[in-house]
Amino acid sequence: MSPGQLPIHGVNFPEPRSFGTVLKSNLKETLFPDDPFSHIKNEPLSRKTKKVVQYFVPVFDWLPKYNLALFKYDLLAGITIASLAIPQGISYAKLGNIPPIIGLYSSFVPPLIYAVFGSSKHIAVGTVAACSLIIAASIEEKVSHVDNLELYVSLVYTATLISGLIQTTLGVLRLGILVDFLSHSTITGFMGGTAILICLQQLKGMLGLRHFTTHTDIISVLRAIFKNRKEWEWESAVVGIIFLAFLQFTRFVKQKRPRLFWVSAIAPIITVIVGGLFAYFTHADKHGIAIVGTLKKGINPLSINRITFDSKYLSAPLKAGVITAMVALAEGIAIGRSFAIIKNEQIDGNKEMVAFGLMNIVGSFTSCYLTTGPFSKTAVNFNAGCRTQMSNVVMAICMMLTLLFLAPLFSYTPLVALSAIIMSAMFGLVDYEKVYHLYKTDKFDFIICMAAFFGVVFISMDMGLLLSVGLALIRALLYVARPATCKLGNLPGSKLYRDVDQYADTNQMPGILAIQLGSPIYYANSQYIRERILRYVRDEQSVASLKGNDIEYLLLDLGSVTSIDITGVETLVEVQRLLQSKEIKMILVNPRLAVMEKLTVTKFIDKIGKESVFLSIEDAVDACRFSLMSSKEMKGIDISIA
């Protein structure tokens, strides 16, 4: 350190870093906050390369350490989730107005891709109801699956590709922060509203309706149900209620006896098998109970040639792709993290984005539609004792065998059985306890949740999502534009300085006003910070003048201010000028590196003087008190001399 840089009051005044150094540091913190390669900095090149490959392609990390002891657990888990994947695949495909066989295809290829690139040991890949409904609602706006099924399915593949490209791009650019705009409150409300809609839509299958609406709002759905009441089939309703009661009973058993989770896990496949046998032997399709219909044997045919970017229809798959990309990421990553926490483990959200994106890109080329990590299947996978991503491989192999040999057997599955399976799954997505918890703890979060819920239920799923995200952004902007500030006081019997509103017994400091700023200072909030500081000064002066103690020092604690822009610096200049006119001196406390650099290059430090910058509130207060006492003594001497 050169003589000109000797610290004053222990404060270091470093030379500002170059633009390149600052940019590199900021990019590293933004893209790699976990610093995943810190432990290999001093390793040989070959080991570095190996670790980097293992980081980006997790299968190279866990597969070499894999053994038979782990496989026993993954085999059981894989078979269990496969039994759930078959009915869910068919059910959710019907929900998306897609041929049921595509639902089975979607549980074969994507799980294999995830096993290679996914970082979670517990996620079980599959289709989800919410995204299936979003895809159907978006694409039906352009093409009807009844009038042109081939084009409809092509647009579904295109939407899946777009979703995968978005997910992969976000993961590669490590922009997981964007998914955070889908807050927990938004997801809770969105899932709850979607569950209500899906349950109502399943009344089509439960009642055996042949005509329905393509709209997703509750008014349109209820109108379609009662408008077509002449099509209601009581036989279908009775069978559906029986299946639904059975499924709910198994969920009740699981809740009462968690070790019997497998009862609930195999209930959907039992429903499909029993329903198929019932339909086959009773010729149910001749009694108003519709069945799935033809399911051809064979594994996924290529669908890359069916991807279409025709400008006439592109808006529909583009809309579906963007919305499902974000919803699938938010749901999959949140679920993966939840189960990882239980095991005291961590997963990388950006790697999960890449894994989800790649499996949807490859899936769109191999007759699959959008997949992610659904809660129900992941919970079964976790409870079944999975140890690694190999459980997804086992599930994929089971699905391959099903596609090669057993697919036609499921053609007799009654649609009412699929409706019962979907409705039973949806009941668990309406989280009443979480909504009540939001209401009791944070009213704004509750409003965000309700905006998503009622927006989805009464308008549309995309508008419900936009309303909720919009409210969440408004709340974030309020925090940005109106940052936290507080006046500090001294805790009795200590040298600690805390918020006077939180600690009412703090002692005031005659002649000194200490304010703590709690956020970056930049153009969006600088005017508010200026007004807030001057208001503190005005209020303190009005109180202090009654006691004969004018404010002579303003202490600004900048320890929580992570950055400042030029507008923020100009604000401090203006505040300092106004304080100077009132004969109040500004003192800065603990400015951080980025802030100190900006204050240095703008010459603000020179303006107030380096002696006006302190390391801590304690040091600053002690110095100001000493100065005040010295000033009073000097005034006393002047009076005595006079």
Side-chain angles (χ1 to χ4, degrees), residues 175-190:
L175 296 177
I177 187 175
L178 296 180
V179 180
D180 294 337
F181 283 109
L182 292 178
S183 66
H184 192 70
S185 304
T186 296
I187 294 297
T188 300
F190 177 78

Side-chain angles (χ1 to χ4, degrees), residues 261-279:
F261 72 92
W262 55 269
V263 173
S264 178
I266 66 172
I269 193 67
I270 291 175
T271 301
V272 168
I273 293 171
V274 172
L277 292 173
F278 168 78

Side-chain angles (χ1 to χ4, degrees), residues 565-620:
D565 67 359
I566 295 301
T567 306
V569 175
E570 290 301 320
T571 297
L572 292 183
V573 171
E574 186 177 352
V575 170
Q576 192 266 343
R577 188 185 303 120
L578 290 170
L579 292 175
Q580 199 170 35
S581 66
K582 299 176 184 292
E583 297 184 345
I584 300 174
K585 186 172 183 179
M586 179 187 287
I587 303 294
L588 302 184
V589 179
N590 191 28
R592 299 176 63 167
L593 178 60
V595 176
M596 180 70 86
E597 288 176 330
K598 191 63 65 71
L599 296 179
T600 300
V601 297
T602 55
K603 307 297 184 182
F604 183 75
I605 293 295
D606 295 337
K607 184 181 292 291
I608 65 172
K610 292 183 177 180
E611 69 279 359
S612 297
V613 185
F614 290 81
L615 273 179
S616 67
I617 285 288
E618 294 86 348
D619 293 344

